[in-house]
Amino acid sequence: MSLARTLVDVRPLRTSPVFRRLLIGRTASILGSFMTVVTVMFQVWDMTHSAVWSGAVGPAQALPLVVVGLLAGSWADRRTAGTGAGSSFSRPSG
């Protein structure tokens, strides 16, 4: 296997300015999200000096994502069940 086949194809970054802007914006957004998590944990540690409260930040941030994700997924499945969108996964064919 050649080295060129194992590396990431970066042609879309060179040829498409729209894709380049999307990738840069998405990367900045993800880095900002990571910095927010670290900053909130540090702020809780600075205010309480408690490892328990600092550790509780993770589940406190994850719980709304899980609950809302489950509810929104259920709502979306009910909403698209009769339209044919995604129905090949929810109903057997034939």
Side-chain angles (χ1 to χ4, degrees):
M1 187 183 307
S2 69
L3 183 62
R5 290 184 59 162
T6 59
L7 298 176
V8 176
D9 183 18
V10 294
R11 278 181 285 169
L13 290 173
R14 283 183 270 166
T15 60
S16 175
V18 175
F19 181 73
R20 191 170 37 246
R21 287 191 300 266
L22 174 72
L23 184 66
I24 291 169
R26 183 72 178 137
T27 302
S29 174
I30 289 172
L31 287 174
S33 296
F34 287 152
M35 287 192 296
T36 300
V37 170
V38 171
T39 304
V40 168
M41 285 190 172
F42 178 74
Q43 183 179 7
V44 169
W45 172 259
D46 193 40
M47 292 172 64
T48 65
H49 295 289
S50 169
V52 174
W53 285 111
S54 296
V57 169
Q61 288 177 337
L63 186 66
L65 292 174
V66 171
V67 171
V68 170
L70 289 172
L71 294 174
S74 174
W75 176 78
D77 286 345
R78 275 190 313 212
R79 184 142 170 116
T80 61
T83 63
S87 61
S88 62
F89 296 114
S90 60
R91 285 187 246 144
S93 61

